Amino acid sequence: MPILWLQDALQAKREGHSSKSKMNYKAVISIHENIEDIYKVILPEVKKWERSNFEMKKDKKELRFIIEAKDSVALRATLNSITQLLTVYEKVKEIDG
């Protein structure tokens, strides 16, 4: 069992909350350029974890990442994962010109 998950579970127990409760945090990232390219690159990375998940929704004008998490640590980790993927995309795009 990961240490962070154990810490969150223990804290939730002390505070009288179940660690299996619903998602408490939600964040949305909107992108308005290179929508199709970013969507294709990140689609294989869409995952659901025990404490957080994210999905992508796209239309012609916008790509949205919808992130939901049970706690702030899981929210931050998921946001970091997404921004790391976006950073890699940007760097590759710079190299390709």
Side-chain angles (χ1 to χ4, degrees), residues 26-69:
K26 183 175 184 177
V28 178
I29 300 172
S30 297
I31 297 175
H32 301 279
E33 294 180 1
N34 304 313
I35 295 167
E36 196 61 41
D37 290 341
I38 294 171
Y39 181 80
K40 287 178 186 176
V41 167
I42 296 181
L43 185 61
E45 302 298 326
V46 174
K47 298 177 183 175
K48 291 190 178 195
W49 297 278
E50 185 173 334
R51 293 173 35 220
S52 68
N53 63 68
F54 77 92
E55 63 179 315
M56 293 189 302
K57 294 188 178 182
K58 72 176 177 98
D59 58 32
K60 292 178 182 178
K61 296 181 181 180
E62 181 180 51
L63 174 61
R64 290 185 301 146
F65 295 85
I66 298 125
I67 304 107
E68 294 183 320

Side-chain angles (χ1 to χ4, degrees), residues 5 7 52 60 94:
W5 185 86
Q7 288 173 340
S52 68
K60 292 178 182 178
E94 284 178 16

